Amino acid sequence: MSNDFVPALREALDNAGYTYDGVADLLGETAHSALSRNETVPGLRRTRGGSPIETLTRLFLLQTPVTGDEADAALPGLVDRLCNEGMLEQSIGEVAARMDIRPYATEDDDLWVVSDLTPGLDGTPNKVGADHVLGISSAATSLAQMTIRDEVTRSLDLGTGCGVQALHLAQHSQQVVATDINKRALWMTELNARLNGVPTGRIDVREGSFFEPVRGETFDLIATNPPFVISPATDERLVYRDSGLPGDRVVEDIVRAAPRLLNPGGWCQILANWVIPADRDWTERLGEWIDECDAWVVQREVIDPAGYVELWLKDAGLQGSPDYVRRYDTWLAWFEQQGIEGVGFGWINLRRTDATPTLRLEEWPYDVEQPIAPTFTAWSRAIDSLAELDDDALLAARPVVRSDVQQETFGAPGAEDPATVVLRQQRGLRRARQADTVEAALVGACDGELTVGQILSALASLLDLDAATLAGERLAAVRELLVEGFLEI
């Protein structure tokens, strides 16, 4: 792909104010919200003025034709070239988009992301081709929010799609390798890198399936939103969401292979689905996949088989088609044969370690602070610190209660003591933990001045208990409070 038109395109988008905030201000809350539901009418009503930002919004986001004069004003000298590149098409007096150019904002930059057009606007049939390249999706933003942003030497965007994760990784990696089996996706990733001014060579795109293009190489960070849809292995698949492997095999293969591709201390972060079997706990099953890595797996949602099949058949634009009922029935029958009770969705975080791995697998369907990545970093630091502390060293430690932790008490009016005490985080996972009065008092005394041993001794004296016995009973809870982020050392 030649890139002589890309600087001019970037300049045109920038001059028009075609940024995430600019478009949000133009559309207003109602129209912006409607567009997130694939409804364009409110947005069309807000973009009738003919200004460059209105033209670009109508053209690429609302997917409605604009006049040739409007297109020339918004994209000066570029219309013919973008038509030749397959990004626009012209008819008599009109110009229409054949690809999406969407404003996207990170914490530090305004970016633009080229992808295939959004299917299903205004309820139109949304069947997409097998090599469809998905744009910015909720899954893409979820992965971006969970990915740790420490400075690294080498990172891998496995299954890059249009390159959203690669753009993020390029901001804190000296080199990014972006792989995909879809050649169109790699073309778009290269285009997006150039459009957003990523230094030449920073993103290395490679064609191939999963880890094949990077065999024998290692990385400090791997981020992936793999084609994780759990379905029978058939030829009826969409590359961006279906791996061609049965069940959750693709996720299992990535988890099992990750240690060989990670440098010591390196992370692999996966947004994924997994099977919830009818006859076995999901945590036990996923735990068997993990080796040589600390792991924190968070199940964010569980979907029943019927709801799951409906979700993905609609995503493929098959609802209402003659094939819908047949595929629905076949998929449900396969779930029954496999003994699948539900499908879990969530985060898999792996960190390569040479020590005894720490495994944490839990359900957390509640609202969290975004980005959530700093919570994973804090967890890894906590387990590293605790690994170096035996009981005597922990008693000598001087922890501090995290600044966002608040205490809530519940009980009958006039009661001398509360019936329930809850410690609640306001940040990160916003975790809540029920505590008895001893634990609540311990946490409340953690100000960095007193040691754990001094606090427990004072509580033992106050409660007329043996100090050594109380310490033996409470040190495990202190470790949990540190791992869960209520206390910090």
Side-chain angles (χ1 to χ4, degrees):
M1 178 184 69
S2 62
N3 64 358
D4 55 345
F5 75 96
V6 174
L9 175 58
R10 179 184 177 90
E11 182 179 7
L13 299 175
D14 193 37
N15 288 342
Y18 187 62
T19 64
Y20 181 89
D21 288 341
V23 170
D25 289 343
L26 170 67
L27 293 178
E29 184 176 347
T30 298
H32 196 258
S33 178
L35 185 57
S36 71
R37 302 189 301 271
N38 281 359
E39 299 292 343
T40 68
V41 173
L44 291 171
R45 292 174 59 84
R46 295 273 298 187
T47 55
R48 293 171 172 170
S51 67
I53 188 174
E54 289 171 296
T55 297
L56 294 172
T57 301
R58 291 173 76 88
L59 188 62
F60 294 115
L61 302 187
L62 304 176
Q63 294 178 198
T64 191
V66 299
T67 67
D69 289 342
E70 289 171 334
D72 285 330
L75 298 164
L78 285 166
V79 173
D80 287 341
R81 183 56 195 274
L82 293 178
C83 287
N84 292 336
E85 295 290 338
M87 299 174 71
L88 297 176
E89 61 182 2
Q90 295 186 84
S91 58
I92 298 174
E94 283 190 335
V95 175
R98 293 181 62 190
M99 296 179 70
D100 189 322
I101 303 178
R102 187 166 297 257
Y104 179 65
T106 69
E107 290 188 355
D108 302 314
D109 290 303
D110 288 312
L111 305 175
W112 298 280
V113 176
V114 176
S115 66
D116 280 327
L117 292 173
T118 302
L121 289 185
D122 298 316
T124 56
N126 66 334
K127 189 170 184 178
V128 298
D131 63 350
H132 179 82
V133 179
L134 193 66
I136 301 165
S137 64
S138 58
T141 54
S142 293
L143 178 58
Q145 289 166 334
M146 67 179 277
T147 301
I148 292 170
R149 298 300 172 195
D150 294 342
E151 295 291 327
V152 297
T153 301
R154 301 192 78 221
S155 60
L156 171 63
D157 177 9
L158 183 70
T160 187
C162 65
V164 174
Q165 307 307 323
L167 293 176
H168 278 282
L169 293 169
Q171 295 177 337
H172 61 101
S173 308
Q174 294 178 23
Q175 184 190 37
V176 181
V177 178
T179 68
D180 207 291
I181 198 171
N182 186 348
K183 290 183 178 180
R184 293 189 69 250
L186 297 176
W187 178 84
M188 290 185 198
T189 296
E190 287 189 305
L191 173 59
N192 284 323
R194 294 171 182 173
L195 182 61
N196 289 289
V198 177
T200 302
R202 176 73 59 84
I203 298 178
D204 175 13
V205 302
R206 303 184 191 178
E207 181 184 358
S209 178
F210 300 109
F211 291 125
E212 288 179 4
V214 294
R215 185 173 295 151
E217 300 179 44
T218 58
F219 301 88
D220 305 302
L221 175 61
I222 300 171
T224 181
N225 172 24
F228 55 60
V229 175
I230 295 172
S231 62
T234 69
D235 293 331
E236 301 171 316
R237 69 188 186 103
L238 303 176
V239 171
Y240 74 89
R241 66 169 216 191
D242 299 310
S243 68
L245 299 173
D248 53 15
R249 175 70 180 276
V250 61
V251 179
E252 178 182 355
D253 286 354
I254 291 171
V255 170
R256 290 186 182 278
R260 297 192 300 275
L261 287 99
L262 290 174
N263 293 322
W267 287 85
C268 177
Q269 298 186 273
I270 311 165
L271 189 76
N273 278 177
W274 47 80
V275 165
I276 299 178
D279 58 353
R280 194 178 183 195
D281 187 88
W282 70 271
T283 61
E284 179 185 357
R285 182 170 175 272
L286 265 65
E288 291 181 348
W289 301 351
I290 300 165
D291 187 32
E292 299 182 66
C293 286
D294 296 320
W296 188 0
V297 182
V298 183
Q299 184 164 273
R300 297 285 290 152
E301 183 180 6
V302 176
I303 306 175
D304 66 81
Y308 189 79
V309 173
E310 291 165 14
L311 170 69
W312 291 110
L313 287 178
K314 291 173 184 177
D315 175 79
L318 291 169
Q319 189 178 33
S321 72
D323 210 24
Y324 180 79
V325 172
R326 178 190 67 81
R327 293 186 66 170
Y328 195 155
D329 184 66
T330 299
W331 206 335
L332 276 185
W334 181 81
F335 271 139
E336 291 176 3
Q337 292 166 4
Q338 298 297 313
I340 296 174
E341 185 176 71
V343 176
F345 171 82
W347 311 321
I348 300 177
N349 298 280
L350 309 172
R351 187 182 65 149
R352 175 70 186 275
T353 181
D354 293 327
T356 302
T358 297
L359 270 61
R360 185 181 189 95
L361 296 91
E362 63 180 325
E363 292 191 54
W364 194 257
Y366 312 108
D367 182 48
V368 302
E369 180 189 29
Q370 295 290 4
I372 195 62
T375 299
F376 303 133
T377 303
W379 170 77
S380 68
R381 290 173 180 163
I383 63 175
D384 286 347
S385 297
L386 285 170
E388 298 174 357
L389 298 178
D390 60 16
D391 286 352
D392 289 339
L394 184 58
L395 285 169
R398 302 175 189 270
V400 178
V401 62
R402 206 169 78 183
S403 60
D404 64 299
V405 174
Q406 295 184 357
Q407 178 177 301
E408 301 171 358
T409 58
F410 304 90
E416 183 176 347
D417 295 313
T420 305
V421 178
V422 175
L423 304 175
R424 190 179 301 278
Q425 300 169 353
Q426 306 303 304
R427 306 198 63 186
L429 250 62
R430 298 181 175 139
R431 193 187 294 278
R433 176 185 175 97
Q434 187 169 330
D436 61 18
T437 53
V438 174
E439 184 172 304
L442 186 155
V443 171
C446 288
D447 58 2
E449 296 293 328
L450 298 174
T451 67
V452 173
Q454 288 171 333
I455 295 170
L456 289 174
S457 292
L459 288 172
S461 177
L462 183 65
L463 299 170
D464 196 22
L465 298 172
D466 178 71
T469 301
L470 184 63
E473 293 173 347
R474 296 291 174 167
L475 281 184
V478 174
R479 292 183 182 276
E480 288 178 4
L481 288 162
L482 287 163
V483 168
E484 293 180 353
F486 290 93
L487 298 178
E488 298 173 330
I489 295 179

